[in-house]
Amino acid sequence: MTEPLRLGIAGLGTVGTGVVKIVRRKAALLEARAGRPVEIVAVSARNRDKDRGVSLSDYAWEDDPVALAKRDDVDVFVELMGGSDGPAKAATEAALAAGKDVVTANKAMLAHHGTELAQLAEDHQGVLRFEAAVAGGIPVIKALTESLAGNEITRVLGVMNGTCNYILTRMESAGLPYDTVFEEANQLGYLEADPNLDVGGIDAGHKLSLLASIAFGTQVAFDDVQLEGIGCITIEDIRQAADMGYKIKLLGVTQMTGRGLEQRMTPCLVPDTSPLGQLDGGTNMVVIEGDEVGQIVLRGPGAGEGPTASAVMGDIMDIARGLRVSTFGRPAASLAPVTAALGATPAPYYLRMALMDKPGALAKIATVLGEAGISINRMRQYGHIEDAAPVLIVTHKTTRADLDRALEAMSGTGVLANDPVALRIEDV
Amino acid sequence: MTEPLRLGIAGLGTVGTGVVKIVRRKAALLEARAGRPVEIVAVSARNRDKDRGVSLSDYAWEDDPVALAKRDDVDVFVELMGGSDGPAKAATEAALAAGKDVVTANKAMLAHHGTELAQLAEDHQGVLRFEAAVAGGIPVIKALTESLAGNEITRVLGVMNGTCNYILTRMESAGLPYDTVFEEANQLGYLEADPNLDVGGIDAGHKLSLLASIAFGTQVAFDDVQLEGIGCITIEDIRQAADMGYKIKLLGVTQMTGRGLEQRMTPCLVPDTSPLGQLDGGTNMVVIEGDEVGQIVLRGPGAGEGPTASAVMGDIMDIARGLRVSTFGRPAASLAPVTAALGATPAPYYLRMALMDKPGALAKIATVLGEAGISINRMRQYGHIEDAAPVLIVTHKTTRADLDRALEAMSGTGVLANDPVALRIEDV
């Protein structure tokens, strides 16, 4: 195989431009490693005239990404447009239907249509690869799909949204409230156009659903991911957690339980001495646990031109070398339908609430917890704020279902001055 | 490709037995993932009668691993005997010459004969894979060879010998001297039969030489690795380093410099807040730095039945899936000969020495350093021990060559009461 691998790249934002630069600058290195040249033949983007700092004059231009995807001279369609549906999906489907291979960084598209797109790829003997869609430059898809193929995966967890980790780290280090740091992050351009994709956990939830599919051989089931954002986290939560030896992270966790697949993307407390607890700033970390390997920790940049383009290039180089693996590590038709198990695995929880300044308020809360079968590990009431008394409770292990029942009963007591915040304490 | 992949396994120690157990216990999972059955057809070991806790009666037995390697019904020869030469090498060569694929965990064999074995594999259209040879269960070979194929690798570094890291960590946590902890490790069975393989840095040096070859496209050059063991490290060094915010690690570092390839496996000081500094106990960590991806950190168990068997199975599953990559990431014939560059990159150094109780002793040492062009960042003389005064010096950045000249000049001053210990402070 010495004929060139011919790429068509759709989407010339930061990542697409990064890929173009690598292919141009490192032609000799890529050829030495792949055993054949890697070339760009055509590109497509919304705005042809924008200066991207790299010459595109050697490549054919297509206004329509679907037309690019179908070109006879394209072997691999590189989809870097983004968006779960619309042109990205249409062009990906067109490429796969034309028997081409596809490399994408599009977590939203795969979270919503991954199983069907994988099937379409297999129907036409193509491969569909997406290393860049999860945790940027960290090779987590390959590790899970290939390196750990001799393991039953028992749990995958991690910090998969650098913006959220930046916000939580910065709140702690600067002692600033959420709203201020959110605004800072916005000014710095760290947030998606729809910030809820970041701080609501949706972007990270997309990624988690893809890891779950590979880890457990299940269909991609993003709709079954339990999603909670970080907007409820206060500086007081971060300080109280630190006092007890924990950090608060937007943590994705997926594991197969006796009742089905658990997928959670929620703020959690993790020990501050654990690798996850020590992860500051915009870095990502994925922890994979397998029955043979034990625990593997992968850490690196989760976003940015270089890291994401590096991951896209890894997939392209695999294809150039003839390395062809099923999208989710086994044939799409064999992926099992998901039975969602929310709240199946028990854990201790951190609860923060404000109680009205009434006699017996705390007793009522304690009673409700006791009646739900939830025992209290620590409880602390501290200085009044206006007419309410902040209360912190750390429970012993309980299921989320029991906890939700207790939280509902609490709201019926008439002593709550706000909605309680409940954060799982994850054993990592 | 639905016919079974047929394995011949030579060496039934901990790892070999682990692989047998996985293939037996997870037949359905492996078949689902590989798209074909993975089967063992024959095994070989020194002692046929030993009880290994797993039934071998389904498999043909060969007393001679070379005979096993040549069997017509073996597709993949799995070499888990160990030893750089002898039967392991003979059988590996026989298997490759017979056109079979080989999976090995044998770092010593590859460190000494890797380039030639890779060439032999390519001459016969076979692949030779060795994920288990470096950092046990951590998928570092695959990450470097495949995932990061779009990067110029700038540096690879890491802690690659769990026993050394255990000893250094335990010295610090228990406040025990090296000899005591060495003996403890020996009692616990953590040390190789020849302990110098561990504490002398040889085993870790083998691993580093393999990473260097992939990272920089060079022939394997273990003889050019600068090797220093941990036997010189005292509890006092560990405490002084901790005082300054450092940990001492047996650190492997390889980078391509303007003068050639640098490969070092030496005790170094690293910041205690870095991922490498935070790595306690028997765990391994490899840090890969690339021009696109920035820094990737991979952490996990570096030894043991499960983790090592997991890595062997990863290679076997790749072959079952038809994923075939050159041993060191490019054709063996294209690997460049190595020009060794020892001490090319400058760094600050930590120096510990004992000076005789003579007037002007410290001044003589300071003068020698000054004459070598090495400036002093900190210097500390503390309580006398018998007739000698311990002195610690931290230099500003200098090359190892300049430092070695200074150390030689020091020994000519007549004021040294012992051989100085010089530890590089690595920027990580």
Side-chain angles (χ1 to χ4, degrees):
Chain A
M1 232 182 356
T2 51
E3 67 279 27
L5 185 78
R6 300 165 301 173
L7 312 177
I9 301 177
L12 293 171
T14 313
V15 180
T17 307
V19 172
V20 173
K21 286 183 198 162
I22 295 176
V23 173
R24 292 176 73 89
R25 205 190 307 135
K26 297 188 181 158
L29 181 68
L30 300 179
E31 181 170 352
R33 287 179 176 162
R36 62 195 289 204
V38 175
E39 299 176 358
I40 298 165
V41 294
V43 296
S44 172
R46 263 181 294 200
N47 180 351
R48 183 166 186 170
D49 301 323
K50 186 175 163 189
D51 179 7
R52 296 177 171 88
V54 59
S55 167
L56 302 171
S57 59
D58 296 343
Y59 319 132
W61 179 272
E62 296 279 0
D63 285 320
D64 177 7
V66 173
L68 177 73
K70 291 177 172 171
R71 282 176 68 102
D72 285 340
D73 57 359
V74 164
D75 301 312
V76 181
F77 177 65
V78 184
E79 189 284 297
L80 301 170
M81 293 179 282
S84 63
D85 293 85
K89 178 161 174 267
T92 298
E93 287 172 341
L96 294 174
K100 299 180 189 308
D101 298 325
V102 172
V103 172
T104 180
N106 191 331
K107 61 217 78 163
M109 178 176 74
L110 290 172
H112 288 285
H113 311 292
T115 311
E116 305 83 69
L117 290 171
Q119 185 64 59
L120 185 61
E122 287 167 27
D123 290 345
H124 298 271
Q125 285 78 52
V127 295
L128 168 62
R129 302 296 304 270
F130 60 97
E131 185 66 80
V134 181
I138 307 177
V140 57
I141 299 298
K142 187 174 268 279
L144 199 55
T145 314
E146 300 171 29
S147 302
L148 301 178
N151 288 259
E152 293 262 13
I153 302 301
T154 48
R155 185 171 63 158
V156 180
L157 66 165
V159 168
M160 304 173 201
N161 182 285
T163 303
C164 287
N165 206 48
Y166 166 81
I167 290 174
L168 293 170
T169 303
R170 172 96 175 125
M171 283 173 71
E172 174 164 30
S173 63
L176 292 170
Y178 175 81
D179 290 341
T180 308
V181 178
F182 177 91
E183 201 38 57
E184 267 186 17
N186 203 12
Q187 297 294 330
L188 290 165
Y190 290 180
L191 285 160
E192 301 270 354
D194 172 5
N196 198 42
L197 286 174
D198 286 313
V199 298
I202 297 169
D203 164 84
H206 288 154
K207 299 169 185 169
L208 185 72
S209 72
L210 303 178
L211 295 178
S213 175
I214 302 170
F216 305 111
T218 45
Q219 294 173 5
V220 184
F222 169 67
D223 290 343
D224 293 329
V225 178
Q226 177 193 346
L227 282 181
E228 291 170 21
I230 61 169
C232 63
I233 306 296
T234 64
I235 181 73
E236 187 61 21
D237 292 324
I238 290 175
R239 286 187 185 134
Q240 293 292 344
D243 255 12
M244 297 186 286
Y246 293 101
K247 299 269 188 176
I248 299 178
K249 300 288 173 191
L250 178 64
L251 194 72
V253 183
T254 180
Q255 60 196 113
M256 187 56 80
T257 75
R259 289 172 38 202
L261 180 67
E262 187 163 322
Q263 301 179 88
R264 291 180 270 118
M265 183 57 68
T266 64
C268 288
L269 276 64
V270 298
D272 56 15
T273 54
S274 64
L276 283 162
Q278 291 166 341
L279 187 76
D280 287 343
T283 308
N284 279 202
M285 180 178 284
V286 179
V287 179
I288 307 176
E289 295 173 351
D291 62 346
E292 303 295 341
V293 79
Q295 189 184 70
I296 296 282
V297 180
L298 310 174
R299 171 189 165 130
E305 174 181 325
T308 312
S310 168
V312 171
M313 284 308 305
D315 284 341
I316 291 171
M317 289 293 282
D318 271 5
I319 293 171
R321 285 164 157 165
L323 310 184
R324 305 177 72 77
V325 190
S326 303
T327 307
F328 298 103
R330 60 171 76 196
S334 76
L335 294 170
V338 165
T339 304
L342 290 185
T345 56
Y349 279 83
Y350 161 101
L351 307 177
R352 172 176 51 81
M353 61 196 77
L355 300 187
M356 289 175 188
D357 202 358
K358 291 181 183 174
L362 196 55
K364 280 191 181 161
I365 296 302
T367 302
V368 160
L369 285 168
E371 284 170 359
I374 298 170
S375 57
I376 294 171
N377 183 4
R378 332 187 185 189
M379 178 185 271
R380 184 170 163 218
Q381 180 175 338
Y382 53 103
H384 280 56
I385 297 168
E386 293 169 3
D387 284 345
V391 170
L392 292 179
I393 297 171
V394 175
T395 73
H396 283 290
K397 272 195 178 181
T398 176
T399 62
R400 179 78 209 195
D402 283 347
L403 184 70
D404 282 343
R405 274 192 291 276
L407 290 171
E408 201 183 318
M410 277 181 205
S411 73
T413 58
V415 301
L416 288 179
N418 68 2
D419 281 339
V421 167
L423 305 176
R424 185 179 165 107
I425 301 177
E426 188 73 22
D427 184 23
V428 298
Chain B
M1 235 183 351
T2 51
E3 65 280 25
L5 184 78
R6 300 165 301 172
L7 311 178
I9 301 178
L12 293 171
T14 313
V15 180
T17 307
V19 172
V20 173
K21 286 183 198 162
I22 294 175
V23 173
R24 292 176 73 88
R25 206 190 307 134
K26 298 188 179 156
L29 181 68
L30 300 179
E31 181 169 353
R33 287 179 176 161
R36 61 194 290 205
V38 175
E39 299 176 357
I40 298 165
V41 294
V43 295
S44 172
R46 263 180 294 199
N47 180 352
R48 184 167 187 172
D49 300 324
K50 186 174 163 188
D51 179 8
R52 296 177 170 89
V54 60
S55 168
L56 303 171
S57 58
D58 296 343
Y59 319 133
W61 179 274
E62 296 278 1
D63 285 320
D64 177 8
V66 174
L68 177 74
K70 291 177 172 171
R71 283 176 67 104
D72 285 341
D73 57 0
V74 164
D75 302 312
V76 181
F77 178 65
V78 184
E79 189 284 297
L80 301 170
M81 294 178 281
S84 63
D85 293 84
K89 178 160 174 267
T92 298
E93 288 171 341
L96 294 173
K100 300 181 190 306
D101 298 325
V102 172
V103 172
T104 179
N106 191 331
K107 60 217 79 160
M109 178 176 74
L110 291 172
H112 288 285
H113 311 292
T115 310
E116 305 84 68
L117 291 172
Q119 185 64 59
L120 185 61
E122 287 166 28
D123 290 344
H124 298 272
Q125 286 77 53
V127 295
L128 168 61
R129 302 296 304 271
F130 60 97
E131 184 66 80
V134 181
I138 308 177
V140 56
I141 299 298
K142 187 173 269 277
L144 199 54
T145 314
E146 300 172 30
S147 302
L148 301 177
N151 287 260
E152 293 264 12
I153 302 301
T154 48
R155 185 170 64 158
V156 181
L157 65 165
V159 168
M160 304 173 201
N161 182 284
T163 302
C164 288
N165 207 48
Y166 167 82
I167 290 174
L168 293 170
T169 303
R170 172 96 177 127
M171 284 173 71
E172 173 164 30
S173 63
L176 291 171
Y178 174 81
D179 291 339
T180 307
V181 177
F182 177 90
E183 201 39 55
E184 266 187 18
N186 205 11
Q187 296 295 328
L188 290 165
Y190 290 180
L191 286 159
E192 302 269 355
D194 172 5
N196 197 42
L197 286 174
D198 286 314
V199 298
I202 299 168
D203 163 84
H206 288 154
K207 298 169 185 168
L208 185 72
S209 71
L210 303 178
L211 295 178
S213 174
I214 302 170
F216 304 111
T218 46
Q219 294 173 4
V220 184
F222 169 68
D223 291 343
D224 293 329
V225 178
Q226 177 193 346
L227 282 180
E228 291 171 19
I230 61 168
C232 64
I233 305 297
T234 64
I235 180 74
E236 188 61 21
D237 292 324
I238 291 175
R239 285 187 185 135
Q240 294 292 344
D243 254 14
M244 297 187 286
Y246 293 101
K247 300 268 189 175
I248 298 178
K249 300 288 174 192
L250 177 65
L251 195 71
V253 183
T254 181
Q255 60 196 113
M256 187 57 80
T257 75
R259 287 173 39 204
L261 180 66
E262 187 163 323
Q263 302 179 90
R264 290 181 270 116
M265 183 57 68
T266 64
C268 288
L269 276 65
V270 297
D272 57 14
T273 54
S274 64
L276 282 162
Q278 290 166 342
L279 187 75
D280 288 342
T283 309
N284 279 203
M285 181 177 282
V286 179
V287 179
I288 307 175
E289 295 174 350
D291 62 345
E292 303 295 342
V293 78
Q295 190 185 71
I296 295 283
V297 180
L298 310 174
R299 171 189 165 130
E305 175 181 324
T308 313
S310 167
V312 171
M313 285 308 305
D315 283 342
I316 292 171
M317 289 293 282
D318 271 6
I319 293 171
R321 285 165 158 164
L323 310 182
R324 305 176 73 78
V325 189
S326 303
T327 307
F328 298 103
R330 60 171 76 197
S334 76
L335 294 170
V338 165
T339 304
L342 289 185
T345 55
Y349 279 83
Y350 162 101
L351 307 178
R352 172 176 52 81
M353 62 196 76
L355 300 187
M356 289 176 190
D357 201 0
K358 293 180 180 173
L362 196 54
K364 281 191 180 159
I365 296 301
T367 303
V368 161
L369 285 168
E371 285 170 358
I374 299 172
S375 57
I376 294 171
N377 183 2
R378 332 188 187 188
M379 178 184 271
R380 188 172 159 216
Q381 180 174 336
Y382 53 104
H384 280 55
I385 297 169
E386 294 170 3
D387 285 346
V391 171
L392 292 179
I393 296 172
V394 175
T395 74
H396 282 290
K397 271 194 179 183
T398 175
T399 62
R400 179 77 208 197
D402 283 348
L403 185 70
D404 283 342
R405 274 192 290 276
L407 290 172
E408 201 181 317
M410 278 181 204
S411 72
T413 59
V415 302
L416 288 179
N418 68 2
D419 280 338
V421 168
L423 305 177
R424 183 179 165 106
I425 302 178
E426 187 75 21
D427 184 21
V428 298

